[in-house]
Amino acid sequence: TASVFHSMRIAEVGLRNLATELEVTLKDREEEIPIEFADWNKVITGISNKIKAAHTLPANHKREQELTFYSDMADRCGYMKDMWRNPVSHARKVFNQGEASGVLDRVHGFMSLLANHLQEKRGGEK
């Protein structure tokens, strides 16, 4: 269970980096707030709103690739939130070793995809 909890903290870093990359702005009570002060739901909603707005841009190969990547990543974040983050953070579920290993594999995959994408987008710099 602790491993799942810490895996979700790792995924949260990725989620917030994804939102930063997309220049997501978030509000709470009509006031703009930093991404690090928003909960997962607000951040995921902000990312989804950016993706919806991108659909209005002119169609081209780059837009298609970006939409596919960011849509996939946003879906992964929503899945992780509902399957693992909320249950473990609110002490609603206990996870066994096999489940924890599966979560760790999923988070590793998510973070690897994100890191590779960001590295490519920034011209290969580390």
Side-chain angles (χ1 to χ4, degrees):
T1 300
S3 176
V4 172
F5 179 84
H6 290 288
S7 293
M8 292 300 96
R9 292 290 292 128
I10 293 165
E12 186 171 346
V13 171
L15 170 67
R16 294 181 191 287
N17 275 283
L18 185 61
T20 299
E21 180 68 23
L22 289 171
E23 299 178 357
V24 169
T25 55
L26 302 170
K27 291 188 175 192
D28 186 43
R29 299 183 183 122
E30 305 304 317
E31 297 271 334
E32 192 169 313
I33 60 170
I35 291 170
E36 62 270 15
F37 284 91
D39 62 31
W40 276 58
N41 197 53
K42 271 192 200 305
V43 177
I44 292 169
T45 299
I47 291 168
S48 295
N49 289 341
K50 280 285 191 172
I51 292 167
K52 287 176 190 166
H55 283 283
T56 64
L57 299 173
N60 61 44
H61 183 68
K62 182 180 178 189
R63 183 195 90 156
E64 187 71 23
Q65 284 183 314
E66 294 281 311
L67 281 173
T68 299
F69 175 78
Y70 289 118
S71 295
D72 177 38
M73 297 303 277
D75 283 349
R76 289 172 189 246
C77 291
Y79 179 80
M80 287 187 287
K81 176 182 75 76
D82 292 337
M83 291 294 296
W84 305 307
R85 189 269 173 201
N86 288 351
V88 77
S89 294
H90 300 290
R92 295 181 188 140
K93 183 171 182 188
V94 174
F95 294 88
N96 64 36
Q97 184 176 352
E99 292 167 323
S101 180
V103 171
L104 188 58
D105 287 344
R106 294 295 284 268
V107 171
H108 181 266
F110 169 75
M111 294 299 287
S112 293
L113 281 173
L114 180 59
N116 289 336
H117 178 80
L118 295 178
Q119 186 175 9
E120 287 173 13
K121 194 166 184 179
R122 295 174 182 159
E125 66 187 54
K126 289 188 179 183

